[in-house]
């Protein structure tokens, strides 16, 4: 039998939950409740209960928050699929939620020294920086048409992953569950993916097999593709289909990034269709602008190109030595080497390195290494020789975009041992960011600029850019 509790909902917690307690026992057991908002009173059904933690889903809102809105994706609600857990929250309140989570992680995991350093940064409010909307989402929120405002934050994802249910329908996993639930719509996907009709058209059902992985890709150049991975196929061959369901030999897609603010115009990339690429349609351009300007501008900034800012001058940036870690398919590598002529990059995914090499084939001075990011590799690649090792010098700038777990103390100590004048770190997890900032502080670096981007509206995820310099 389901167990129900009436809960008083408190502050957000990392992971898309709020901290709640029973209304009849305000100092009682903490329950991590989803689909609720701070200040609400809810009736919730228990979804997980063990000695360490209790989890629940709010199924009835007894006292609603003024920030509650009609969910833009009902199927991601209580008992539904993961991936849209904040769609019941107004977008400005989502960003407040994420700022609270960032501040809490910096305080609880980073500690007092990290909080003090971040609080002193330009633009910080309290112990965190604001979470900024992506440009298109901000424009939609400000649109005079209420229908456009209601759809703000939707239609942004250029990559969508589905799994076929036992009944042969397109679906997604339930939250923290191995069960695949059918879905009827994909409101977070860009229009070209929605128009494929993966969740409703009979065209696709004939291709689907239970357990099959379905990836839809909408590149900035060319038509969308649908990739099918059948777990029962011993060869693990990926079938690639056009938007009309026909087989195609196309395995790569072209991506174009506008880097005009940096003075580089349009940047062109060639990547595997099923390789990693930033999913928000505006994320590649926004991240390139902010990260590259953060790395190479004379004054530290994490805000990107502002009105009145001049493009970066290759006459000044030429010769700056950049070490890039966790470089992926070369999103940052291309503009960095175009402006400096001296980049060493390291990435563990050999296919992504192959994509980067294809994109940067005209840049002989870019050293694109494949392999694990280890302290030894950082020390080796961080040294730039000039004729021989004795006349070389270490990296002037280090750019790192580690996976969700963060870089870790060993990598940070190896970076600090190179004594770069500046470090630019991109973090997709606030807890890992807090740990890594603490490690950098101990290694003699302090944050000098920081910004956070709401690159994943209607979910609890966001991206942070931290710029550090030697103390």
């Amino acid at each position: 039998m389901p167990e129900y509790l009436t809960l008083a909902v408190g502050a957000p917690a990392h992971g898309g939950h709020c901290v709640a307690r029973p209304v009849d026992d305000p100092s009682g057991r903490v329950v991590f409740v989803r689909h609720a908002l701070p200040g609400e009173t809810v009736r919730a059904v228990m979804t997980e209960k063990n000695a360490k933690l209790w989890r629940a889903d709010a199924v009835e809102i007894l006292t609603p928050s003024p920030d509650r809105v009609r969910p833009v994706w009902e199927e991601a609600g209580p008992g539904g699929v993961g991936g849209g857990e904040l769609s019941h929250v107004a977008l400005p309140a989502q960003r407040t939620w994420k700022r609270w989570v960032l501040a809490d992680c910096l305080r609880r995991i980073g500690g007092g020294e990290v909080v003090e350093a971040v609080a002193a940064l330009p633009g910080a409010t309290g112990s965190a920086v604001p979470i900024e909307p992506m440009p298109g989402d901000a424009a939609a929120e400000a649109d005079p048409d209420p229908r456009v405002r209601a759809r703000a934050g939707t239609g942004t994802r250029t990559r969508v992953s589905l799994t076929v249910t036992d009944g042969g329908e397109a679906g997604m996993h339930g939250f923290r569950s191995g069960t695949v639930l059918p879905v009827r719509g994909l409101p977070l996907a860009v229009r070209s993916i929605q128009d494929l009709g993966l969740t409703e058209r009979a065209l696709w059902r004939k291709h689907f097999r239970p357990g099959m992985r379905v990836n839809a890709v909408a590149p900035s150049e060319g038509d969308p593709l649908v990739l099918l991975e059948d777990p029962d196929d011993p060869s693990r061959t990926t079938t690639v289909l056009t938007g009309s369901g026909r087989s195609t030999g196309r395995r790569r897609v072209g991506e174009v990034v506008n880097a005009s603010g940096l003075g580089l115009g349009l940047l062109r990339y060639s990547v595997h269709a099923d390789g990693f690429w930033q999913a928000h349609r505006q994320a590649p351009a926004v991240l390139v602008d902010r990260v590259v300007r953060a790395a190479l501008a004379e004054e530290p900034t994490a805000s990107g190109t502002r009105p009145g800012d001049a493009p970066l001058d290759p006459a000044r940036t030429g010769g700056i030595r950049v070490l890039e870690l966790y470089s992926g398919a070369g999103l940052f590598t291309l503009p960095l080497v175009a402006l400096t002529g001296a980049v060493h990059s390291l990435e563990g995914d050999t296919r992504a390195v192959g994509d980067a090499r294809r994109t940067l084939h005209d840049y002989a001075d870019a050293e694109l290494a494949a392999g694990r990011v280890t302290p030894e590799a950082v020390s080796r690649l961080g040294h730039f020789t000039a004729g021989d090792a004795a006349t070389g010098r270490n990296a002037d700038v280090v750019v790192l975009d580690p996976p969700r777990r963060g870089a870790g103390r060993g990598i940070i100590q190896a970076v600090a041992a190179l004594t770069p004048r500046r470090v630019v770190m991109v973090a997709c997890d606030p807890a890992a960011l807090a740990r890594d900032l603490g490690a950098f502080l101990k290694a003699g670096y302090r944050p000098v600029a920081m910004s956070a981007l709401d690159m994943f509206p209607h979910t609890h995820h966001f991206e942070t850019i931290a710029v550090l310099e030697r103390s």
Side-chain angles (χ1 to χ4, degrees):
M1 288 289 292
E3 180 181 357
Y4 293 90
L5 293 173
T6 302
L7 301 173
V9 183
H14 182 33
H17 305 78
C18 285
V19 177
R21 286 185 168 87
V23 293
D24 56 0
D25 188 6
S27 60
R29 180 64 183 259
V30 165
V31 181
F32 292 97
V33 62
R34 284 164 44 90
H35 312 296
L37 271 158
E40 291 186 331
T41 304
V42 303
R43 186 168 180 260
V45 60
M46 297 296 299
T47 58
E48 184 178 348
K49 189 175 183 180
N50 56 50
K52 291 186 176 180
L53 57 81
W54 291 3
R55 298 182 192 272
D57 279 359
V59 293
E60 183 180 356
I61 311 304
L62 304 177
T63 307
S65 164
D67 292 320
R68 178 172 286 276
V69 296
R70 180 177 179 178
V72 300
W73 193 13
E74 298 277 1
E75 291 176 300
V81 300
E85 63 278 0
L86 297 189
S87 76
H88 64 289
V89 184
L91 277 175
Q94 289 185 30
R95 296 191 289 270
T96 298
W97 175 306
K98 295 174 186 184
R99 182 175 58 80
W100 284 348
V101 169
L102 176 58
D104 177 64
C105 288
L106 294 175
R107 173 188 56 79
R108 185 169 43 84
I109 299 171
E113 191 177 2
V114 168
V115 169
E116 182 180 346
V118 173
L121 295 175
T125 56
S127 56
V129 293
I131 311 296
E132 302 174 45
M134 299 297 280
D137 299 331
E141 287 181 80
D143 196 281
D145 188 337
R147 294 169 297 181
V148 175
R149 295 199 301 272
R151 294 193 299 269
T154 65
T156 64
R157 305 288 185 84
T158 64
R159 268 75 176 163
V160 171
S161 293
L162 303 166
T163 301
V164 180
T165 69
D166 290 341
E169 300 175 277
M172 293 182 175
H173 284 88
F175 175 70
R176 296 176 64 86
S177 171
T179 302
V180 180
L181 305 173
V183 292
R184 299 289 175 258
L186 301 171
L188 303 189
V190 294
R191 175 52 60 185
S192 60
I193 289 180
Q194 294 185 43
D195 289 345
L196 292 173
L198 291 169
T199 62
E200 65 269 16
R201 293 177 64 192
L203 162 70
W204 302 108
R205 296 287 293 272
K206 67 180 182 182
H207 294 286
F208 290 169
R209 304 288 181 272
M212 179 178 280
R213 186 81 165 179
V214 181
N215 294 310
V217 178
S220 53
E221 278 195 327
D223 296 328
L225 296 175
V226 177
L227 289 71
L228 307 179
E229 301 173 22
D230 190 342
D232 296 327
D233 179 0
S235 69
R236 296 290 183 181
T237 301
T238 298
T239 300
V240 183
L241 304 177
T242 66
S244 59
R246 296 178 180 176
S247 181
T248 175
R250 185 177 164 204
R251 293 293 186 271
R252 309 183 68 84
V253 295
E255 297 288 355
V256 179
V257 174
N258 188 339
S260 298
L262 303 174
L264 295 175
L266 299 181
L267 303 175
R268 298 187 179 276
Y269 299 78
S270 174
V271 298
H272 276 84
D274 55 350
F276 175 78
W277 190 255
Q278 292 290 344
H280 192 292
R281 58 189 173 85
Q282 293 183 317
V286 171
L287 285 173
V288 161
D289 184 70
R290 295 204 179 203
V291 170
V292 174
R293 192 169 280 274
L296 303 181
E298 293 188 72
E299 295 298 323
T301 178
S303 300
T305 302
R306 296 297 192 184
D309 286 346
L312 295 180
D313 182 3
R316 186 193 64 81
T317 59
I320 295 177
R321 289 159 169 79
V322 180
L323 171 63
E324 185 190 1
L325 305 175
Y326 315 97
S327 54
L331 177 63
F332 304 139
T333 320
L334 177 57
L336 286 169
V337 74
L339 286 164
T340 68
V343 175
H344 291 176
S345 70
L346 179 60
E347 166 59 43
D349 184 337
T350 55
R351 191 172 65 167
V353 176
D355 287 342
R357 287 173 178 161
R358 179 183 288 254
T359 294
L360 282 90
H361 67 277
D362 290 334
Y363 293 92
D365 291 334
E367 182 177 335
L368 312 179
R372 289 181 56 239
V373 178
T374 64
E376 296 75 19
V378 171
S379 299
R380 183 178 68 256
L381 287 169
H383 188 76
F384 289 70
T385 59
D388 59 73
T391 59
R393 75 172 194 254
N394 289 346
D396 303 303
V397 176
V398 176
V399 174
L400 62 161
D401 185 2
R404 190 164 299 280
R405 66 179 180 273
R409 183 179 303 172
I411 299 302
I412 288 169
Q413 289 175 341
V415 168
L418 298 172
T419 65
R421 61 175 177 82
R422 186 176 294 172
V423 174
V424 181
M425 180 169 60
V426 183
C428 61
D429 183 88
L433 169 70
R435 285 191 295 271
D436 285 350
L437 284 177
F440 269 117
L441 285 170
K442 289 181 173 60
Y445 283 78
R446 296 188 67 80
V448 291
M450 184 181 291
S451 64
L453 296 165
D454 193 14
M455 281 173 34
F456 310 94
H458 302 301
T459 80
H460 69 275
H461 299 289
F462 59 96
E463 205 91 357
T464 308
I465 300 168
V467 186
L468 303 102
E469 292 187 345
R470 295 175 65 190
S471 301

